[in-house]
């Protein structure tokens, strides 16, 4: 019996599919809790020449004040969605730890807001 497990290729995508994603570095300029929620934060981020509002389910892991000035990775071409009466225009990316805690994807060096990720 082989120790290797059979690879599931059903979720593989083509390079062209990945290229449709507009991943960018964003700098968090403001963060605040959304009333009557345990996990939602309203983030205002800079994408260089543009500012956007994003809603992120990270309030159990991050205090708003510790996010100001942090570079994060965002999906910039996600269709806008109304969440708790606020239009969210993108998605901040996070890894999920073993205990289901979101860990924001950041840059290890200073990068200009709006820089494309490839």
């Amino acid at each position: 019996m082989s120790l290797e497990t059979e690879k599931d290729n059903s979720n593989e995508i083509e390079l062209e599919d990945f290229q449709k994603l507009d991943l960018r570095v964003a700098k968090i300029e403001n963060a605040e809790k959304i009333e009557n929620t345990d996990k939602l934060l309203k983030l205002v981020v800079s994408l260089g020449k543009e500012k956007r509002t994003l809603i992120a389910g990270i309030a159990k892991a991050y205090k708003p004040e510790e996010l100001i000035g942090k570079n994060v990775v965002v999906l910039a071409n996600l269709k806008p969605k109304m969440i708790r009466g606020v239009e969210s225009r993108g998605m901040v990316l996070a890894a999920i730890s073993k205990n289901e805690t979101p860990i924001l994807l950041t840059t290890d060096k200073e990068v200009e807001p709006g820089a494309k990720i490839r």
Side-chain angles (χ1 to χ4, degrees), residues 38 62-63 70 100 108:
D38 291 336
Y62 294 93
K63 292 183 172 99
K70 187 177 285 280
E100 298 295 312
D108 69 342

Side-chain angles (χ1 to χ4, degrees), residues 4-14 17:
E4 288 186 33
T5 58
E6 208 171 296
K7 185 177 178 187
D8 177 10
N9 295 335
S10 64
N11 287 328
E12 288 183 345
I13 64 172
E14 299 291 332
D17 295 322

Side-chain angles (χ1 to χ4, degrees), residues 8-110:
D8 177 10
N9 295 335
S10 64
N11 287 328
E12 288 183 345
I13 64 172
E14 299 291 332
L15 178 60
E16 293 79 19
D17 295 322
F18 176 77
Q19 290 172 331
K20 292 177 185 176
L21 302 176
D22 185 8
L23 299 172
R24 295 187 180 261
V25 174
K27 184 175 287 287
I28 298 175
E29 294 188 344
N30 192 34
E32 59 188 63
K33 283 195 63 105
I34 293 186
E35 287 187 35
N36 302 318
T37 69
D38 291 336
K39 64 180 189 172
L40 296 180
L41 292 180
K42 175 181 167 184
L43 307 176
V44 175
V45 300
S46 171
L47 291 169
K49 297 177 182 176
E50 176 185 5
K51 293 188 191 313
R52 291 196 184 179
T53 299
L54 311 176
I55 304 302
I58 59 172
K60 289 187 175 184
Y62 294 93
K63 292 183 172 99
E65 59 272 11
E66 69 185 338
L67 295 172
I68 309 300
K70 187 177 285 280
N71 279 344
V72 292
V73 176
V74 299
L75 177 57
N77 63 336
L78 188 65
K79 286 184 179 181
K81 183 173 183 173
M82 291 299 287
I83 301 172
R84 297 287 178 129
V86 178
E87 184 179 55
S88 184
R89 297 192 50 234
M91 176 187 292
V92 67
L93 300 185
I96 303 300
S97 69
K98 287 181 183 178
N99 65 355
E100 298 295 312
T101 301
I103 301 166
L104 292 174
L105 299 185
T106 63
T107 60
D108 69 342
K109 295 184 179 165
E110 193 61 32

